[in-house]
Amino acid sequence: MAGQIRGSARPNRWLRNLNAKIASIPMILTALVIFLGGTVWTVVYSFTNSKLLPRLTFVGFDQYERLWAAPRWLMSIQNLAVYGFFSLIFSLVIGFVLAALMDQKIRFENTFRTIMLYPFALSFIVTGLVWQWLLNPQYGIQSVVRALGWTSFSFDPLYNADIVIYGILIAALWQGTGLVMCLMLAGLRGIDEDIWKASRIDGIPMWKTYVFVIIPMMRGVFITTLVIIASGIVKVYDLVVAQTSGGPGIASEVPAKYVYDYMFLAQNLGQGFAASTMMLVTVAIIIVPWAYLEFGGGRKRG
């Protein structure tokens, strides 16, 4: 009898936290209408021959065939692959090393942390313009080094089609590494001090402690950081426009710039939608494994 009374008094599962659920309705509608609706709309119109204005004249996969036959798009994909690979590796390595050094309870830690994080507060346009000037052979690093006596020194990546993407990578690392450092530092500060004491008592070298103990324990931090870096890689646009505008020639083109140029300059919406859809596929390839590792894998272990 008492069990029945308790069962009848138990609130319906759907009525729990009712106020919070009501408050979340605008956000849910926004996600469904704007994000999901916009995504479906983009994918549908990528199969049309829309030019200046959208129109439902389907042409099948013609836009995708033109896309993958365009040298500019292929160069964009190549640049994104190179930029993404090195950005991911160097951001994680440099960020983790800086965080490990910062975790040694050094003096003026707050000052150094602020200095490291400051570039991330700047817009990508500002960062691009600053590094455009620094990498200018007439006024930047090359000019300063030559003035010091090394007259044969050459460092002009933004003017060399073979290495221009690395000049953009330098600016991206300068701006984004500080954020990675802060994320890694937060993860390191969450490690129990007893683990460090146990490793010192057992005589385990510090590098082995980091590699075999600390890094596996920071799995969640690394996955989150990977997703943040990867999402920034896919949508890179501002740095390229500010530093090179896609040049020399098409040597520094990236997918986001390709989409913008075709949708708003070439007035070819169908081609822009097709390129946007391919970027969406790239983002899905990143997000789906992350969601599985964070949620699906966690539930399975539980």
Side-chain angles (χ1 to χ4, degrees):
M1 186 68 176
Q4 291 179 352
I5 295 175
R6 284 197 299 271
S8 61
R10 185 179 302 167
N12 189 294
R13 181 169 60 91
W14 294 101
L15 297 179
R16 296 175 187 172
N17 301 321
L18 184 60
N19 292 335
K21 291 177 179 178
I22 294 174
S24 66
I25 290 176
M27 182 190 67
I28 295 172
L29 291 176
T30 300
L32 290 176
V33 175
I34 296 180
F35 298 120
L36 183 59
T39 298
V40 173
W41 192 83
T42 299
V43 173
V44 169
Y45 276 88
S46 70
F47 295 98
T48 68
N49 64 347
S50 301
K51 296 297 183 183
L52 177 61
L53 296 173
R55 56 182 179 181
L56 276 173
T57 305
F58 290 98
V59 293
F61 289 92
D62 286 1
Q63 296 290 1
Y64 292 94
E65 292 175 1
R66 295 192 192 102
L67 180 68
W68 288 101
R72 185 177 175 186
W73 174 255
L74 296 178
M75 178 61 71
S76 299
I77 296 299
Q78 178 182 327
N79 285 335
L80 187 67
V82 173
Y83 173 87
F85 175 79
F86 287 106
S87 179
L88 202 61
I89 297 299
F90 284 116
S91 293
L92 285 175
V93 172
I94 297 174
F96 184 81
V97 170
L98 289 175
L101 293 174
M102 202 75 68
D103 194 42
Q104 305 305 311
K105 308 298 188 297
I106 61 175
R107 294 181 62 186
F108 308 111
E109 177 189 329
N110 291 337
T111 302
F112 285 120
R113 190 168 62 239
T114 302
I115 293 173
M116 294 292 184
L117 190 59
Y118 176 75
F120 187 75
L122 301 176
S123 71
F124 285 103
I125 293 293
V126 172
T127 298
L129 292 174
V130 168
W131 279 95
Q132 182 192 53
W133 180 82
L134 287 173
L135 298 178
N136 188 304
Q138 295 182 349
Y139 311 105
I141 297 173
Q142 176 177 299
S143 176
V144 172
V145 174
R146 287 187 177 185
L148 295 175
W150 287 278
T151 56
S152 61
F153 178 80
S154 178
F155 187 64
D156 56 347
L158 298 185
Y159 298 85
N160 187 333
D162 293 330
I163 59 173
V164 62
I165 195 64
Y166 299 103
I168 297 171
L169 176 65
I170 292 172
L173 290 174
W174 179 79
Q175 181 164 23
T177 302
L179 175 65
V180 177
M181 181 204 71
C182 288
L183 293 172
M184 295 295 177
L185 183 60
L188 287 172
R189 291 288 163 84
I191 301 298
D192 193 340
E193 188 66 28
D194 291 339
I195 294 176
W196 293 106
K197 293 179 181 178
S199 65
R200 284 193 292 268
I201 292 173
D202 293 339
I204 302 174
M206 181 173 289
W207 70 270
K208 284 189 175 181
T209 305
Y210 274 112
V211 173
F212 297 108
V213 180
I214 303 302
I215 290 179
M217 294 181 66
M218 293 175 59
R219 171 182 170 275
V221 176
F222 273 93
I223 292 175
T224 301
T225 305
L226 280 171
V227 172
I228 293 174
I229 297 172
S231 63
I233 290 169
V234 173
K235 65 182 182 181
V236 62
Y237 171 80
D238 313 62
L239 282 176
V240 176
V241 172
Q243 287 186 273
T244 65
S245 294
I250 60 171
S252 59
E253 286 286 340
V254 289
K257 186 175 181 299
Y258 184 96
V259 171
Y260 178 87
D261 288 351
Y262 268 86
M263 292 185 69
F264 299 104
L265 300 181
Q267 298 179 351
N268 189 340
L269 291 179
Q271 184 69 184
F273 289 146
S276 299
T277 303
M278 297 310 303
M279 291 182 65
L280 174 65
V281 171
T282 304
V283 173
I285 291 173
I286 296 169
I287 295 298
V288 170
W290 168 77
Y292 175 77
L293 290 172
E294 281 294 292
F295 304 108
R299 285 195 301 268
K300 187 175 182 180
R301 286 191 303 271

